Amino acid sequence: VQLVESGGGSVQAGGSLTLSCAAGRYTYKRNCMGWLRQRPGKDREGLARIYTGSGDTYYADFVKGRFAISRDNAENTQSLQMNDLKPEDTAVYYCVASDLRASIHSASTWSLWGQGTQVTVS
């Protein structure tokens, strides 16, 4: 099973981007999906999580009000809408998934990772 991200790119400060992650329409639907990122020279940090069944979401404080996570269970995809982007949001963004409950504050709780997609804000 692979997670395939798309939607990264370059944007000016204040702009928006939507990242998408496909887990494969005919693969097992994971219980929990999320997004983490790694900024240059920094540790990975969690951004948002969604339970695919209930739709319950959780966000890191520093993205609340700017980022929104959503899922499409029929297509087995998830998305991260990012608004009001800042230069400090420049990072490689990773789609993650888990069969169990996972925490965006602990990278080791996620069993599946995408290859990462670059977002550059200038």
Side-chain angles (χ1 to χ4, degrees), residues 15-107:
S16 299
L17 278 176
T18 299
L19 305 182
S20 296
C21 175
R25 186 174 185 179
Y26 299 105
T27 60
Y28 176 74
K29 186 182 70 178
R30 302 296 166 172
N31 178 59
C32 190
M33 301 189 79
W35 293 89
L36 283 71
R37 73 182 182 189
Q38 187 160 22
R39 296 185 288 167
K42 303 288 187 181
D43 292 335
R44 282 179 182 170
E45 54 187 357
L47 304 174
R49 178 273 292 151
I50 188 166
Y51 290 135
T52 56
S54 66
D56 179 73
T57 58
Y58 176 83
Y59 296 92
D61 287 342
F62 57 88
V63 302
K64 282 181 182 177
R66 295 195 302 131
F67 291 8
I69 189 172
S70 61
R71 92 295 192 201
D72 183 334
N73 287 340
E75 297 295 327
N76 211 7
T77 61
Q78 64 153 332
S79 297
L80 185 69
Q81 172 69 40
M82 304 186 294
N83 300 318
D84 189 25
L85 285 163
K86 309 174 187 302
E88 53 265 39
D89 291 318
T90 294
V92 177
Y93 285 69
Y94 296 91
C95 171
V96 291
S98 173
D99 287 333
L100 305 175
R101 288 177 177 261
S103 171
I104 61 171
H105 303 299
S106 176

Side-chain angles (χ1 to χ4, degrees), residues 1-20:
V1 176
Q2 289 184 318
L3 300 177
V4 180
E5 299 116 334
S6 60
S10 297
V11 65
Q12 291 188 335
S16 299
L17 278 176
T18 299
L19 305 182
S20 296

